[in-house]
Amino acid sequence: MKRREAIQYVSSILGLAISSPTLSAMNRFSALSLSPKYQPNLFLTSEQFHLLDELTELIIPETKTPGAKEAKVAAFIDLVLADCYVEKDKKVFTDGLQSLLNRNFLSLSTVNQTEFLKTMESESMAARSTSNDIDFWRMLKELTLLGYFGSEVGIKACFDYQPVPGKLENVKWEKGMKMIAY
Amino acid sequence: MEILKNKSNKFDAIVIGSGMTGGIAAKELTEKGLKVLVVERGREVKHVEDYDTAMKAPWELPHRDKLTLRSAEEQWANNRFNNMAKDDLEPFMTNDKENPYLEKRPFDWIRAYHTGGKSMHWGRQSYRWNENDFEANAKEGVGIDWPIRYADLAPWYTYVEKFVGISGQKENWDVLPDSHFLPPMPMNAPERFFKEKMMEKMGRKVTIGRIANLTKSEPQHLSLGRSSCQYRNKCARGCPFGGYYSSLAGALPAAAKTGNMTIIHDSIVKEVIFDDRSQKATGVRIINAVTSEVIEYFAKIIFLNAGSMNTAAILLNSTSNRFPTGLGNDSDQVGRNIMDHQLGVGANATIDGFLDDYVVGSRPNALYIPRFRNLGSDKAKNFMRGYGYQGGASRKGWNRGNGMQGFGADFKDELTQPGEWSFGFGGFGEILPDPNNRMFLDLVKKDKWGIPLIVFDASFNDNDLAMRKDIMENAMEMLDAAGFKQVTGYNRKEVHIGLGIHEMGTARMGNNPKTSVINKFNQIHACNNVFVTDGAAMTSASCVNPSLTYMALTARAADYALKKLKTKEI
Ligand SMILES: Cc1cc2nc3c(=O)[nH]c(=O)nc-3n(C[C@H](O)[C@H](O)[C@H](O)COP(=O)(O)OP(=O)(O)OC[C@H]3O[C@@H](n4cnc5c(N)ncnc54)[C@H](O)[C@@H]3O)c2cc1C
Ligand code: SF4
């Protein structure tokens, strides 16, 4: 549903006239909408970017719903790395990618890739109990989840996206229901 | 610099600040027929039209919930509050780098300089003080006595509540007097369970949060274009429906409707002008934030509503022959007795069961557990006063995946299903007035407009630290008593006074001009045409969220000011 329609829909169920400033603002919001034009390779080299793209898909693969690649998770991570992480943490991430490149990670079979990542995860989990330092796996997984479940593709495929719920109700969870995203 | 002096710069009243309290002052004074100038230092934000991030989907915020390095640097203070200035709120929060302040001892100062001030971003929790809150200072020999009692404010609470719209459950508890309520929001299933358990096992009260969101839009709200809450829980970005109360959605449109309000933006009040001949304030001197032009405006009465710390700074900077250390500062109390509420301490747990319960709609509200410490037969060993808790239950979503082992197809599927329920709440603790907790002006270091910088010199004391410990321990005890699992307490060490964003007390009310700045009607003792009605007026802090009380005090003072103008006593 388009925003403007959503608002009108809500106003009709409530029997309320939505003021004209609200409507004009809705139009303005639509016009403002960023269609996020991520520039690939903002920060990562194309080799690193390509590897990252594959890694995110291993974490969130395409199933009956789209995977991380389709949701352009790598591009999101690239942008966030550039804009949000201090040098030290950026380096943790690029070092992590580089060491996988050095080991020719992408030439491994899928089974071996998965095994490799499992080992990496166990090491990361173990390190967490003794240190608060961020490590490559932790960053990769966190950013992949945020990149996917925060993307338009991910949200619309996995959840019931309700920007304007219009109600607050306790209900029973039944099989087949989708979690609501707001 | 040329100073513009112009006859058209004359009004009946000047209100400094367009936020939570300035809005109410403007509404009350204009509705009573005064020509009012509202002076706002920040940029203009138009209700609805300028809420640029309000309707953005998660994916339309480029960094989602990550803080950019730019924001971290420019908003170094605001981001101490849970990285507040992310993509959605960065455009509205004050650039701390351009508006610096100094910390002799650290103070977390969260600011929003624009139309509506912090009323655009507040958490909307709204509670009346109780009778004891006004009497405790006198009974316990803390600070000075309040010059008013609950009964003085009660009708003004009702008056403001009707206009603002407060949703809540009537309970008839002395500790938390009921407001004039709109229908309450529902508790979810684990919360109802928790409420029963607390009463059964610990004799503790739990109620749904009392909140300035319209669960029902009454005619006085509809007439301002405010419709009922749509449960999106994105209030802090501004609500296109006017579903929650802000100065932008409520008081300012009401004031504008009268035709009696003029509002100017980008206009920093540098000082209040005091006339030594008439012994009255005659107006304000402002600096245009963009052009640096200095302009004077004149009025019969002046309301200071710049937010507690800025109000005190304006007073301190308004020096004259009569008031060499700042307007109304005979008592040397301006800038002292900074209070706030303790924050960043509480506990979390997970809950077994309730897996077939779910909620449709995102509730912009939580539970409230009113103060129980040091009331009736309860006596804490090592601290005075008490605290309330706010929090509740929610079902875990996909982000639980960060703490879980696994990846791949099954992992992905699992994260699209709701997780277990978690429960968490944190305390809001009362901080006592202490003259050594203060702010003052640095006479050497100035901002880019030549106005002296504010220096904070305040911290928690032993009472506060002992209370914090109790807040955490009790939260854990309550979650244990409810039978919840994995109970973990937290008491964040990097929290300073100020983080509660309830900063107050810097121009306190009192009967004695030697120990207080303003009288029981918020007038400066020795300059009765200046009113201070924001949090600076507070003589003690209670532990409940303060804005409702500030608004009630403001409406009461405006009513008084008008009566005295009529009888020419000011
Ligand atoms: C995230 C958050 C959550 C909160 N939650 C709650 C809550 O749940 N319940 C509650 O009761 N309170 C809450 N608060 C606090 C509440 O917002 C404040 O108590 C309230 O806004 C104070 O009102 P005020 O008028 O004093 O200041 P403000 O609303 O901040 O308004 C002050 C205005 O004055 C302007 N100004 C400042 N200096 C000058 C000057 N020199 N010249 C001209 N103009 C000036 C500012 O730009 C601003 O617009 C919360 C605040 C925040 C930020
Ligand atoms: S929760 Fe209600 S008041 Fe808040 S933004 Fe949504 S609709 Fe508006």
Side-chain angles (χ1 to χ4, degrees), chain A residues 94-105 116:
Chain A
T94 46
D95 283 355
L97 288 176
Q98 209 51 50
S99 91
L100 290 184
L101 285 172
N102 295 346
R103 288 168 200 220
N104 276 327
F105 179 83
F116 195 98

Side-chain angles (χ1 to χ4, degrees), chain B residues 259-321:
Chain B
N260 290 328
M261 178 177 74
T262 306
I263 181 164
I264 53 172
H265 288 89
D266 303 308
S267 301
I268 307 168
V269 172
K270 178 171 172 253
E271 58 195 314
V272 174
I273 306 165
F274 182 79
D275 177 40
D276 276 307
R277 259 187 321 162
S278 63
Q279 294 289 300
K280 278 187 191 304
T282 52
V284 297
R285 194 163 288 130
I286 70 127
I287 302 182
N288 184 295
V290 182
T291 63
S292 290
E293 187 182 21
V294 178
I295 311 173
E296 293 177 350
Y297 292 94
F298 303 96
K300 294 176 203 149
I301 56 170
I302 294 165
F303 268 64
L304 276 145
N305 299 95
S308 314
M309 302 300 135
N310 278 317
T311 283
I314 293 168
L315 290 175
L316 290 172
N317 204 33
S318 305
T319 52
S320 56
N321 288 334

Side-chain angles (χ1 to χ4, degrees), chain A residues 6-30:
Chain A
I7 304 285
Q8 278 167 339
Y9 168 72
V10 166
S11 70
S12 71
I13 38 176
L14 295 172
L16 290 176
I18 290 287
S19 60
S20 58
T22 304
L23 284 180
S24 64
M26 292 302 117
N27 289 336
R28 205 179 124 186
F29 293 140
S30 311

